[in-house]
Amino acid sequence: MNKVILGTAFNYDYKQIELFLGSLARVFNGKVVLFTNRKIKIPIKGIEVEFVFWNPERQSALPVAFNDVINYRHYLYLDFLRRNSSIDAVMLSDVRDVFFQSDPFEMLDEKITVAVEDMTIEGCAINSNWIRTIFGQDYFDSVAKRKIICAGTTIGNYESILAYEEEMIVLLEKWHNGLDSGESNMVIDQAIHNYWCLQHKDSIIYSNNETGSILTMGHTQNFRFNREGNLINSQGEPYSVIHQFDRVNWVENIFNQKMNIQAQKERKTNIVRKMVNYLKG
């Protein structure tokens, strides 16, 4: 299967994507495509990474002035997908705060998989402001008690993700054009994603923190580990994807320690292998 993970790494250096790529290298045999505005040297082996450099001329030609990459990334993703139709499966992922415990495409389905957070829309001031500003008070009231659907981890087959991006861009442009001039630089990606999901609720698999394969940590403090040190859901199943791990410092420290231990083991294995080859030779 031709699997691709798409993400953005604007103004990042390697340190900010080390856990993302390092954890993927252990469990993933596909390709990672990162859109960026700077060169990043990747010292890690075992994973295929392609960097696509930002084109400011392309951005200036957009029908609306999306000044934030969180909005602009959808144009980058759609352009890439249209030029790479041989892809079978796609994950759209945040990068700086995502850690992988297994191949995220193990959860692949004909429907798009999205992550559901533990907080309602009305319980989060930021999400409330986005949705109220973009869609108005009446719409906000109609969805306020629904759980937040995170825009940072979205997985599906090629056709479903392509259709998602085509529709997202239409919605981004429509609702952006309705904003007041003082709100024109607003990040509207998350609100539009929630709107899209509610419009396509029968075409979606909702992965929640209790029983799903994606843990979105921003609004939860309930964490379970198995004996192998993997985060697990209430069914005892390890999550495939951990998102927003940097919201909980001690969990981030565990991931850093885990990757350092793994790197040490790999170095020792390489040394032993070289010694064996030397003795044989």
Side-chain angles (χ1 to χ4, degrees):
M1 180 186 293
N2 189 0
K3 302 176 289 186
V4 174
I5 297 176
L6 303 180
T8 59
F10 280 56
N11 299 317
Y12 287 178
D13 55 28
Y14 176 67
K15 189 64 179 176
Q16 292 166 292
I17 61 176
E18 184 176 10
L19 286 179
F20 177 84
L21 292 179
S23 61
L24 267 178
R26 301 179 306 158
V27 300
F28 181 59
N29 63 356
K31 182 177 183 179
V32 178
V33 177
L34 296 179
F35 298 87
T36 184
N37 59 344
R38 62 167 60 170
K39 292 183 178 180
I40 306 175
K41 185 177 180 180
I42 304 296
I44 195 168
K45 297 181 179 179
I47 188 165
E48 181 183 359
V49 183
E50 175 185 342
F51 289 103
V52 178
F53 288 92
W54 173 63
N55 183 351
E57 293 181 359
R58 170 96 197 284
Q59 183 175 3
S60 64
L62 294 178
V64 291
F66 286 144
N67 295 321
D68 194 293
V69 68
I70 300 301
N71 296 326
Y72 178 52
R73 63 183 176 177
H74 293 281
Y75 289 89
L76 299 173
Y77 295 163
L78 180 58
D79 181 65
F80 180 86
L81 292 171
R82 284 175 171 170
R83 291 186 290 104
N84 293 273
S85 58
S86 62
I87 296 170
D88 298 308
V90 184
M91 177 179 184
L92 310 177
S93 181
D94 285 357
V95 172
R96 178 185 51 77
D97 59 353
V98 174
F99 187 91
F100 296 87
Q101 297 190 143
S102 62
D103 187 335
F105 292 99
E106 290 177 356
M107 69 183 86
L108 185 65
D109 192 275
E110 291 184 1
K111 297 182 178 181
I112 287 180
T113 298
V114 298
V116 181
E117 302 193 38
D118 284 343
M119 180 65 71
T120 61
I121 291 172
E122 68 179 354
C124 175
I126 296 174
N127 276 271
S128 293
N129 179 58
W130 285 335
I131 290 178
R132 188 184 289 110
T133 300
I134 296 166
F135 299 110
Q137 186 65 43
D138 289 344
Y139 181 80
F140 171 81
D141 291 340
S142 71
V143 300
K145 296 190 182 302
R146 291 183 176 273
K147 292 287 185 69
I148 298 166
I149 305 171
C150 182
T153 50
T154 304
I155 302 170
N157 61 36
Y158 173 81
E159 291 78 12
S160 63
I161 296 296
L162 178 68
Y164 163 82
E165 286 296 5
E166 289 174 339
E167 293 183 41
M168 278 291 290
I169 283 178
V170 171
L171 293 171
L172 283 163
E173 293 180 1
K174 173 183 176 181
W175 293 104
H176 181 276
N177 288 332
L179 294 174
D180 294 335
S181 58
E183 301 161 342
S184 60
N185 290 331
M186 186 176 185
V187 176
I188 63 175
D189 155 88
Q190 173 79 5
I192 299 297
H193 177 73
N194 276 259
Y195 178 88
W196 182 92
C197 288
L198 291 176
Q199 300 300 309
H200 296 78
K201 57 185 178 181
D202 294 331
S203 304
I204 289 174
I205 295 175
Y206 296 94
S207 179
N208 62 63
N209 287 344
E210 276 297 300
T211 60
S213 296
I214 304 172
L215 172 61
T216 309
M217 296 178 64
H219 290 291
T220 186
Q221 293 296 322
N222 299 318
F223 307 117
R224 310 172 185 89
F225 289 85
N226 61 17
R227 291 181 178 179
E228 288 72 40
N230 292 320
L231 279 161
I232 58 175
N233 63 23
S234 63
Q235 310 301 307
E237 302 163 336
Y239 296 104
S240 176
V241 181
I242 313 296
H243 185 208
Q244 299 175 352
F245 63 77
D246 61 342
R247 312 286 180 89
V248 184
N249 289 338
W250 63 268
V251 172
E252 183 175 6
N253 291 336
I254 287 175
F255 288 162
N256 278 304
Q257 292 171 10
K258 182 180 290 188
M259 294 307 301
N260 287 335
I261 290 171
Q262 181 67 26
Q264 291 172 11
K265 287 181 178 179
E266 290 174 357
R267 282 194 293 269
K268 289 180 180 179
T269 300
N270 289 334
I271 291 171
V272 171
R273 185 181 296 115
K274 289 178 181 178
M275 289 176 64
V276 170
N277 290 337
Y278 174 78
L279 292 173
K280 285 181 177 179

